[in-house]
Each structure stands twice: as structure tokens, then as C-alpha cells.
């Protein structure tokens, strides 16, 4: 039957419709024709339901991708993250939504690293914590934490070394204290380099 051939073509289009706009358009066109030819046919009804489902998921993905491009990641609810998660709720493991989730995680990591480069390690930590909730068992976030800590330590050592050079002159102690203040701002509690720097300044001050 011509209807069977039409539905076969529709099924082929649907296999790619979640990722390809042209395939979804073709599936919709076939749905319109099938609805006109045999609106009460069970096979047609089933096909129309599948087209509606794929269409809804595609709309969610498109909207989420737009939000991602606009920087609305959804770290506080809504945004791209909510949309992609909605897709995965209805179709676990869907490739397009999974790629979107990974892109959100990458964007959060990028924001963390940008904050670290600006020595705003509090904000960097916040973005890394958010990125850590996007996916389960995301090694990329753990690797990003290592990179951010490396940036922090490099900055601390840079300030310490500059401060020690300042202390080589009688008038340099004030500048060294300014650098110590910055070190203490960005260092984690118990940081040995920061503690050593503070001790050196204390000794220089009292002796």
C-alpha cells in the first residue's frame, strides 16, 4: 500500500529527526500527508504520536541550545540546563541533550578559570562547585580544580618572591606587606608559602 510506503519513509526520517532539522521537517511533512490520507488508521496514529514526541524534544533542545549560546546556563534553575535535563527525563541518554549538558559543564569550567586568572578564587570555586553538579562522575571538573589550584599557587609564589625582593631594601617593607595582604586573600588556610611569607615579614618587622 502507498500508505505503508509513506510510513516507512516517515520512520526513516524519524531515525535522524532528533539531530537533523531537515529530517524532522520531512517527518512532519509525511505526518501531514498521512493524517489526510488515513486519519483513523492505527499505524498513522502511532506515527503521529512519535512525530509529536520527537518534535517536542527537538524544540526543547533548540531552546536549550539558544539559552546556552546566550550564556543562560541555568546554574540557579531554568536556562539551558533545565531544558536539556527535561529532554533526558523523557529520553535518557539522548545524544543531543547529553552533548548540551557537557557543553554547559565546559562553560562553567571556563568561567571558573577566567575568575582564577583574575585572582577571584572565591568565584572560581563557586563555578567549579556548580560544574560538579551538572554530570555524575565528571573527571573534567576534577581536572579543572587542579588547574585552578595551580593558578592560585603560581600567583601566591609570584607575590611571595616579589615581596621578598621588596624586603631587600629598608623602604620595601611596606610594599611587601601589601603583597602579603593579597597572598592572604587568595591563599587557602594553612598554605605553607603564605605562612612562610608572613613569618619573614614578621621577622623583618621586629628585627
Amino acid at each position: 500500500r502507498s500508505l505503508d510506503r509513506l510510513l516507512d519513509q516517515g520512520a526513516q526520517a524519524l531515525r535522524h529527526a532528533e539531530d537533523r532539522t531537515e529530517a524532522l521537517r520531512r517527518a512532519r511533512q509525511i505526518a501531514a500527508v498521512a493524517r489526510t490520507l488515513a486519519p483513523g488508521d492505527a499505524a498513522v496514529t502511532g506515527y503521529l504520536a512519535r512525530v509529536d514526541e520527537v518534535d517536542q524534544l527537538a524544540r526543547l533542545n533548540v531552546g536549550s541550545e539558544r539559552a546556552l549560546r546566550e550564556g543562560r546556563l541555568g546554574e540557579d534553575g531554568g536556562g539551558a540546563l533545565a531544558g536539556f535535563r527535561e529532554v533526558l527525563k523523557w529520553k535518557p541518554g539522548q545524544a543531543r541533550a547529553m552533548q548540551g549538558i557537557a557543553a554547559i559543564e565546559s562553560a562553567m569550567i571556563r568561567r571558573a578559570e577566567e575568575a582564577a586568572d583574575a585572582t577571584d578564587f572565591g568565584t572560581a570555586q563557586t563555578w567549579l562547585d556548580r560544574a560538579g553538579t551538572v554530570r555524575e562522575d565528571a573527571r573534567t571538573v576534577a581536572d579543572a580544580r587542579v588547574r585552578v589550584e595551580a593558578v592560585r599557587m603560581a600567583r601566591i609564589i609570584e607575590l611571595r618572591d616579589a615581596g621578598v625582593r621588596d624586603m631587600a631594601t629598608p623602604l620595601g617593607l611596606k610594599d611587601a606587606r601589601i603583597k602579603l595582604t593579597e597572598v592572604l586573600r587568595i591563599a587557602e588556610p594553612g598554605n605553607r608559602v603564605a605562612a612562610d611569607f608572613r613569618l619573614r615579614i614578621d621577622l623583618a618587622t621586629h628585627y
Side-chain angles (χ1 to χ4, degrees), residues 11-26:
Q12 292 175 17
L14 279 176
R15 277 197 286 272
H16 306 288
E18 291 181 3
D19 303 310
R20 301 179 189 173
T21 302
E22 183 56 40
L24 179 56
R25 187 179 298 114
R26 176 62 176 157

Side-chain angles (χ1 to χ4, degrees), residues 30-196:
I30 292 172
V33 174
R35 186 183 288 110
T36 300
L37 289 176
D41 185 271
V44 170
T45 301
Y47 174 71
L48 295 178
R50 290 174 59 203
V51 171
D52 286 344
E53 177 185 349
V54 172
D55 189 53
Q56 182 178 3
L57 295 180
R59 290 178 189 276
L60 278 170
N61 274 326
V62 168
S64 300
E65 288 162 355
R66 183 185 306 112
L68 177 58
R69 288 194 301 272
E70 293 172 353
R72 294 183 287 112
L73 304 183
E75 65 275 9
D76 296 318
L81 186 57
F84 288 129
R85 281 179 170 167
E86 183 70 12
V87 172
L88 294 173
K89 183 175 75 173
W90 293 105
K91 190 165 186 181
Q94 204 238 25
R96 186 172 178 178
M98 292 291 287
Q99 290 171 358
I101 291 285
I104 290 170
E105 179 189 89
S106 295
M108 290 182 176
I109 289 173
R110 187 162 56 251
R111 291 186 182 183
E113 291 177 332
E114 288 171 353
D117 288 340
T119 70
D120 186 354
F121 292 98
T123 297
Q125 183 64 51
T126 296
W127 279 114
L128 287 173
D129 290 344
R130 288 167 171 168
T133 67
V134 173
R135 295 191 299 171
E136 294 183 4
D137 192 27
R139 182 64 194 172
T140 50
V141 178
D143 291 343
R145 290 187 191 278
V146 172
R147 292 195 299 273
V148 166
E149 285 308 309
V151 172
R152 188 202 303 266
M153 183 55 70
R155 180 58 177 157
I156 289 170
I157 291 173
E158 178 186 19
L159 288 165
R160 188 274 313 271
D161 291 347
V164 170
R165 288 193 297 271
D166 290 337
M167 291 162 58
T169 64
L171 298 178
L173 193 56
K174 179 180 179 181
D175 289 337
R177 287 198 187 99
I178 292 172
K179 292 179 176 66
L180 174 62
T181 299
E182 177 66 2
V183 165
L184 296 176
R185 182 184 72 82
I186 65 178
E188 292 281 11
N191 182 279
R192 291 185 178 182
V193 177
D196 173 72

